[in-house]
Amino acid sequence: MRNWYKIYKRNIYGVMGTLVFHILLFLAFLLADVDMKGNVKEEPIVIEFPDLIPEPELPEEENTEESQPEESVPVQPNTQSNMASNQRATENTTTSTDEFFDSEYMKELEAAKQLRSSVSNNLSKEVTDLKDIEMPVETTEGMDRDSIKNVIYAGESNIKYYLDNRYHVRLPIPVYLAQGGGTVIVDIEVDRSGRVVTAKARDNRSIRDKQIFLYAQEAASRTLFNSDSNAPALQQGTIHYTFVAQ
């Protein structure tokens, strides 16, 4: 055991020196390898161009004088004629298209002018107010109550009203105003003083002249009946207007 210890002490420094040497040598190689890998030099790429670029060689033209007349003589007139014909076709198409749009535009413009004129004429016409229309009036002033009838004739037309225990004092007659014909029934409400408070014409589909309804309704609203303090506050009745077509 002592012999091994003596050998160890005798050679320990040599062994350590050898290990240190090999470690340093290994580090040196390692550093050299890293430096070689890290310092890679890039070589520039150089592109060289020649000083003079040779012009491409053109093939020699053979028999130029003989071939030129054959190609140029027939081609040139055909090109000009084609150009001329194409130009004429373009001009004809443009002209016909312009004429088409011009005529259509003029038609629409004329129609618009006529419509504007018609609207202007209609707007310029004065709208007649029904209150301004004068109507003949049937009155019972000075007449005996028993002689007053509820049916009034005006030519071939007639006016007839139904209102219990009341008679007319003033009864406008509108039957001559309209061109169309037919019978219009107007529902009325009359107060105790005899005034017509409300008047509404009933619909009659057989009458085409709608102005008749307005005339009948206006005439009914102008009608005046006798006063009656014993009558209902609003007494209901009807007035029938028969219009004869003119």
Side-chain angles (χ1 to χ4, degrees), residues 73-112:
V73 172
V75 171
Q76 188 171 358
N78 290 336
T79 303
Q80 291 178 353
S81 61
N82 290 334
M83 291 174 61
S85 61
N86 289 336
Q87 183 66 24
R88 292 192 197 97
T90 304
E91 291 176 355
N92 293 335
T93 304
T94 304
T95 304
S96 61
T97 305
D98 291 342
E99 289 177 356
F100 172 76
F101 281 109
D102 288 344
S103 61
E104 291 297 323
Y105 174 76
M106 293 305 294
K107 289 180 181 178
E108 292 180 0
L109 182 61
E110 187 63 26

Side-chain angles (χ1 to χ4, degrees), residues 209-222:
D209 186 0
K210 301 304 179 183
Q211 196 73 14
I212 291 177
F213 295 98
L214 299 177
Y215 290 146
Q217 190 168 294
E218 179 63 22
S221 64
R222 295 185 188 184

Side-chain angles (χ1 to χ4, degrees), residues 2 16 36-37 44 57 84 88 109 144 189 205:
R2 292 183 176 180
M16 291 180 63
M36 290 177 64
K37 291 182 179 180
E57 296 181 359
R88 292 192 197 97
L109 182 61
D144 183 43
E189 289 182 338
R205 295 183 179 180

Side-chain angles (χ1 to χ4, degrees), residues 112-131:
K113 287 181 179 179
Q114 292 178 359
L115 179 60
R116 179 183 177 184
S117 177
S118 177
V119 172
S120 299
N121 292 334
N122 290 331
L123 292 176
S124 63
K125 293 180 180 178
E126 296 182 358
V127 179
T128 303
D129 191 352
L130 291 176
K131 294 181 179 180

Side-chain angles (χ1 to χ4, degrees), residues 26-238:
F26 176 75
L27 291 175
F29 281 116
L30 183 63
L31 292 175
D33 184 50
V34 170
D35 184 64
M36 290 177 64
K37 291 182 179 180
N39 297 329
V40 178
K41 294 184 180 180
E42 297 181 359
E43 295 184 359
I45 299 174
V46 179
I47 300 175
E48 296 181 356
F49 294 95
D51 294 337
L52 296 177
I53 299 175
E55 296 181 358
E57 296 181 359
L58 299 175
E60 295 182 359
E61 296 181 359
E62 297 179 358
N63 299 328
T64 304
E65 294 180 356
E66 294 180 0
S67 61
Q68 185 175 359
E70 294 178 359
E71 294 178 357
S72 59
V73 172
V75 171
Q76 188 171 358
N78 290 336
T79 303
Q80 291 178 353
S81 61
N82 290 334
M83 291 174 61
S85 61
N86 289 336
Q87 183 66 24
R88 292 192 197 97
T90 304
E91 291 176 355
N92 293 335
T93 304
T94 304
T95 304
S96 61
T97 305
D98 291 342
E99 289 177 356
F100 172 76
F101 281 109
D102 288 344
S103 61
E104 291 297 323
Y105 174 76
M106 293 305 294
K107 289 180 181 178
E108 292 180 0
L109 182 61
E110 187 63 26
K113 287 181 179 179
Q114 292 178 359
L115 179 60
R116 179 183 177 184
S117 177
S118 177
V119 172
S120 299
N121 292 334
N122 290 331
L123 292 176
S124 63
K125 293 180 180 178
E126 296 182 358
V127 179
T128 303
D129 191 352
L130 291 176
K131 294 181 179 180
D132 296 334
I133 297 177
E134 296 182 0
M135 301 181 186
V137 178
E138 173 74 17
T139 63
T140 59
E141 186 178 356
M143 295 179 61
D144 183 43
R145 177 171 182 172
D146 295 334
S147 63
I148 299 174
K149 298 179 180 180
N150 68 332
V151 179
I152 306 299
Y153 289 92
E156 297 179 357
S157 303
N158 67 72
I159 302 172
K160 181 168 51 177
Y161 62 85
Y162 298 92
L163 192 64
D164 292 341
N165 300 321
R166 307 292 284 270
Y167 62 90
H168 70 277
V169 175
R170 185 178 64 201
L171 185 65
I173 302 173
V175 292
Y176 70 97
L177 294 175
Q179 297 292 328
T183 300
V184 178
I185 300 175
V186 180
D187 294 310
I188 60 173
E189 289 182 338
V190 182
D191 61 11
R192 291 191 178 106
S193 65
R195 292 186 307 106
V196 176
V197 178
T198 61
K200 185 176 181 181
R202 297 181 185 177
D203 188 21
N204 186 346
R205 295 183 179 180
S206 64
I207 299 177
R208 296 183 179 180
D209 186 0
K210 301 304 179 183
Q211 196 73 14
I212 291 177
F213 295 98
L214 299 177
Y215 290 146
Q217 190 168 294
E218 179 63 22
S221 64
R222 295 185 188 184
T223 303
L224 180 64
F225 293 91
N226 66 299
S227 61
D228 186 356
S229 59
N230 296 323
L234 291 176
Q235 186 177 355
Q236 296 180 350
T238 58

